[in-house]
Amino acid sequence: MNKTVEDKSFCFAIKLVELYKGITNTEKEFIMSKQLLRSGTSIGANIAEAQQAQSRADFISKLSIALKESCETDYWLRLLHATGYINDASFSLYISDCREIEKMLTAIIKSAKPQAFP
């Protein structure tokens, strides 16, 4: 597996933990930020699980769950930004990281799927 996506998702999770601390401490917003924390940290956890997959199908399944979690994280970032809890500069950084992880996961999943014969 591409080690870069695992490292990237771990670093992204750390950034989200820090963002969560900031939003809950300064803005006293707990619901949306908790959803962001859960989905954002789940990305890396599912990538880590995929490392121990029992089959190709299991590997693809775990990475597909990670991809779904990254899409959910994208949603929560956009919502927190739209409601003023994340400023423009921070949003640009977080959403960029999230979408890069989404692209990496999509590429890995596509390459892991068996090729169909015409």
Side-chain angles (χ1 to χ4, degrees), residues 1 46-64 108-109 112-114:
M1 175 175 350
N46 281 290
I47 292 169
E49 278 189 55
Q51 300 258 352
Q52 301 302 316
Q54 297 173 339
S55 65
R56 180 183 290 204
D58 188 33
F59 177 78
I60 292 168
S61 175
K62 296 290 189 256
L63 290 186
S64 295
I108 295 167
I109 292 166
K113 287 185 177 178

Side-chain angles (χ1 to χ4, degrees), residues 14-110:
I14 291 169
K15 289 178 185 178
L16 291 179
V17 169
E18 294 303 318
L19 177 62
Y20 173 76
K21 287 179 188 178
I23 292 173
T24 57
N25 288 337
T26 59
E27 302 292 332
K28 304 297 183 208
E29 196 297 309
F30 300 98
I31 305 300
M32 293 182 292
S33 58
K34 185 67 157 198
Q35 291 295 113
L36 173 69
L37 181 67
R38 287 181 180 176
S39 64
T41 57
S42 180
I43 299 166
N46 281 290
I47 292 169
E49 278 189 55
Q51 300 258 352
Q52 301 302 316
Q54 297 173 339
S55 65
R56 180 183 290 204
D58 188 33
F59 177 78
I60 292 168
S61 175
K62 296 290 189 256
L63 290 186
S64 295
I65 293 168
L67 180 58
K68 288 179 185 180
E69 294 294 339
S70 66
C71 291
E72 181 180 344
T73 301
D74 186 298
Y75 172 82
W76 291 117
L77 285 169
R78 289 184 291 115
L79 185 59
L80 285 162
H81 177 248
T83 54
Y85 289 105
I86 302 174
N87 66 35
D88 292 343
S90 293
F91 174 73
S92 293
L93 293 173
Y94 289 109
I95 204 72
S96 174
D97 285 348
C98 187
R99 290 180 178 164
E100 183 179 348
I101 292 168
E102 288 176 24
K103 288 176 186 174
M104 294 169 81
L105 287 168
T106 299
I108 295 167
I109 292 166
K110 283 183 181 179

